[in-house]
Amino acid sequence: MCGIVGAASARNIVPLLIDGIRRLEYRGYDSTGLAVIDTNAEVPVLARLVSTARVADLALQAESLRLVGTVGISHTRWATHGAPTPVNAHPHTSGGEIAVVHNGIIENYEALRAKLQMQGYLFATETDTEVIAHLVHSHWHAAGGGDLRRAVEAAIAEFHGAYAIAVISTREPGRLVGARQGSPLVVGYGEDDHFLASDAAALLSVTRRVAYLEEGDVADLRRESCVITDAHGERVERGIVNVEASGASVELGPYRHFMQKEIFEQPRAVSDTLEGVAVIGPHLFGPAAAHILPQVDSVLILACGTSYYSSLVAKQWIESLAKIPCAVEIASEYRYRDSVPSPTALVIVVSQSGETADTLAALKHAKSLGHTRTLTICNVPTSSMVRQTELTYLTRAGVEVGVASTKAFTTQLIAHFLLALTLAKLRHRLPIEDEANWLRGLRHLPAALQSALALEPQVIAWAEQFAKKQDALFLGRGIHYPIALEGALKLKEISYIHAEAYPAGELKHGPLALVDSSMPVVAIAPNDALLEKLKSNLQEVRARGGELYVVADLDSHLQSSEGIHVIRLPEHAGLLSPVVHTIPLQLLAYHTAVIRGTDVDKPRNLAKSVTVE
């Protein structure tokens, strides 16, 4: 996802700014840029370069211009506000004096924009980040200039949303100021210089010594010094740790729990899982897939828990896109009943660890019935499950420490969708233009997930109410019913609140009897063909005094009112929307558990990998 690198040094920092964002390329991006303070002129000036190509193009620009600077910032961007164009690329500037790079979303940017326009500021971009540049500039001038850190502190006090920012100014050419709230930012310590980055991995070429900024921190960096102040403006020390490249993935960093870290790693995990997917085809699933997949006329998926719920979404994708029947079975039940095997079916086993005992036993049973066409969707390339099937798709979620699965679930959904597209293509049901559109949609998912993560402050407000409850209902329709199941599972796993999920149309067939003023009801309301039906179901809840918490798309036309609380995702992702709608439900479970004081990463009675039946 979006990456930030910044440096204050006595040496030319242009090469390390470029190297830093090059190290973050694997996350995906659609534009990149840098700004440095050129002190070669009589008066320091901002030099800004941007590209909508790759970081390599930015490097060529810098080389051709012989760009030099000792203080600067660089960025890789996934577009959220505004198209991926050169004008919308970071860094953004104000008055030729201030330059800013930013990760996150400023939710109240429209109000701030209007205020700044009244002050005479002109806006050239569609982004929320340009507001930050003008707001810092405004506060800097209002105070008479001379203190960039105080201008940044005044600006962030007006923000609503998540951010990590790095700011430089020509008026204070030796200074780099960073701040974070809800989005990671680290300080790197060099021999005679200091650095900022959104991920320590970006700084591995220059330092392994980093400090993770905490919520609300502001870092004031110069070549020879680093001063960190907390959300109250008090000077603080943040512990310096040595980061090893191989071990960075299991460090908590700025996060309170591994589950929180892993929720926020999902944009990167999805990007990694999609790496190398240039075209849809059987090659994605291994060398033997080109021979096996064209012969498949049905699909049977075996899984447990979270993996089972991802598979329920897959069933609808496969049947909708490929038009072949798909059955999904709980692995622990499958081998204890009489089933009718089909030798032409593709049997898929799904597991985060690849060591799930029930699923391995189900796979063995399926093979004993004559199923020879098998596929593993898994996160661990060396696992037992991978070794026991002919085909494989590795989700590349990275190490997942928290018992309650998050990034493994969303990356499983990506693998399922790619399989659905592949089966559709093999059956000539995927026109070239549709394939291109779905690939664009998949590549945009990291940005969509980042936008969903920026809703965390609103979800925390919900969690404060849920933490007082003992029961909850989750509702969804169509491909979002499994997401309701997953949301209920997450809540019960880590907060110990009893939670159930139902297809919304089933309310009148029993669950409505549970609804009263003490029962919170979570509804997933994407703007799809079932929205109007869902609205009728929600009215049934309100008529019984139920309190509604609705995760909606921006254009769903659902309004917050008495007893109805609405969080809006910024866009509708079509068939891919289950991936995006998962994020607020994960955050709700996490923050509810934190408020209730449970052991989030190690919930009682549960293990990360279920290796016994």
Side-chain angles (χ1 to χ4, degrees), residues 48-51 56-67:
R48 172 180 179 264
L49 301 178
V50 298
S51 173
D57 178 66
L58 197 71
L60 288 174
Q61 290 187 54
E63 183 179 353
S64 66
L65 293 172
R66 297 180 180 177
L67 191 63

Side-chain angles (χ1 to χ4, degrees), residues 341-357:
S342 171
T344 52
L346 174 69
V347 174
I348 305 172
V349 285
V350 188
S351 168
Q352 189 281 137
S353 66
E355 304 294 346
T356 308

Side-chain angles (χ1 to χ4, degrees), residues 250-305:
V250 293
E251 296 289 339
L252 261 179
Y255 299 101
R256 186 170 176 181
H257 300 94
F258 280 106
M259 182 179 179
Q260 183 187 28
K261 176 177 183 280
E262 288 152 13
I263 289 171
F264 277 83
E265 285 177 339
Q266 287 175 110
R268 183 182 68 185
V270 167
S271 180
D272 286 355
T273 300
L274 289 167
E275 186 177 3
V277 181
V279 295
I280 299 301
H283 65 282
L284 299 173
F285 301 91
H291 170 69
I292 292 172
L293 292 183
Q295 302 178 48
V296 168
D297 63 2
S298 61
V299 175
L300 170 63
I301 310 179
L302 307 171
C304 298

Side-chain angles (χ1 to χ4, degrees), residues 156 163 178-187 211-219 228-231 236-239 253-256:
I156 64 177
Y163 58 84
R180 72 158 296 237
Q181 181 73 42
S183 195
L185 199 62
V186 304
V187 174
Y212 292 93
L213 298 182
E214 297 185 7
E215 294 289 88
D217 279 358
V218 175
I228 300 174
T229 52
D230 64 16
V236 292
E237 299 292 331
R238 302 299 183 206
Y255 299 101
R256 186 170 176 181

Side-chain angles (χ1 to χ4, degrees), residues 232-247:
H232 305 289
E234 300 294 327
R235 184 166 179 170
V236 292
E237 299 292 331
R238 302 299 183 206
I240 299 175
V241 297
N242 288 310
V243 176
E244 297 298 329
S246 60

Side-chain angles (χ1 to χ4, degrees), residues 308-479:
Y308 173 70
Y309 295 148
S310 77
S311 302
L312 290 177
V313 179
K315 170 184 171 64
Q316 299 198 44
W317 281 340
I318 290 169
E319 294 190 346
S320 175
L321 293 168
K323 306 299 183 186
I324 62 174
C326 177
V328 183
E329 295 216 26
I330 296 172
S332 59
E333 293 289 314
Y334 168 71
R335 72 187 182 111
Y336 293 112
R337 71 172 189 84
D338 291 330
S339 58
V340 180
S342 171
T344 52
L346 174 69
V347 174
I348 305 172
V349 285
V350 188
S351 168
Q352 189 281 137
S353 66
E355 304 294 346
T356 308
D358 291 318
T359 310
L360 282 167
L363 174 61
K364 182 179 179 180
H365 178 64
K367 287 182 173 182
S368 74
L369 296 177
H371 289 288
T372 60
R373 298 163 182 175
T374 55
L375 163 68
T376 290
I377 293 175
C378 182
N379 190 42
V380 182
T382 57
S383 66
S384 300
M385 217 167 282
V386 168
R387 294 194 302 270
Q388 293 178 27
T389 58
E390 294 180 280
L391 310 181
T392 302
Y393 195 93
L394 293 174
T395 56
R396 300 186 66 188
V399 177
E400 190 178 65
V401 177
V403 166
S405 179
T406 51
K407 60 181 180 175
F409 176 78
T410 48
T411 53
Q412 284 171 7
L413 289 175
I414 300 305
H416 284 310
F417 195 77
L418 290 171
L419 178 63
L421 291 176
T422 298
L423 293 173
K425 187 173 184 177
L426 290 172
R427 280 147 191 79
H428 308 290
R429 296 183 180 276
L430 187 68
I432 293 174
E433 60 272 20
D434 288 353
E435 178 178 350
N437 288 336
W438 285 124
L439 284 171
R440 277 194 293 272
L442 285 164
R443 292 183 185 123
H444 180 66
L445 273 179
L449 295 180
Q450 195 69 44
S451 298
L453 288 167
L455 299 171
E456 187 180 38
Q458 298 176 55
V459 178
I460 292 172
W462 283 15
E464 290 169 352
Q465 300 305 313
F466 272 71
K468 306 169 188 175
K469 307 295 185 180
Q470 296 304 316
D471 305 276
L473 286 177
F474 287 69
L475 303 177
R477 299 200 71 140
I479 56 175

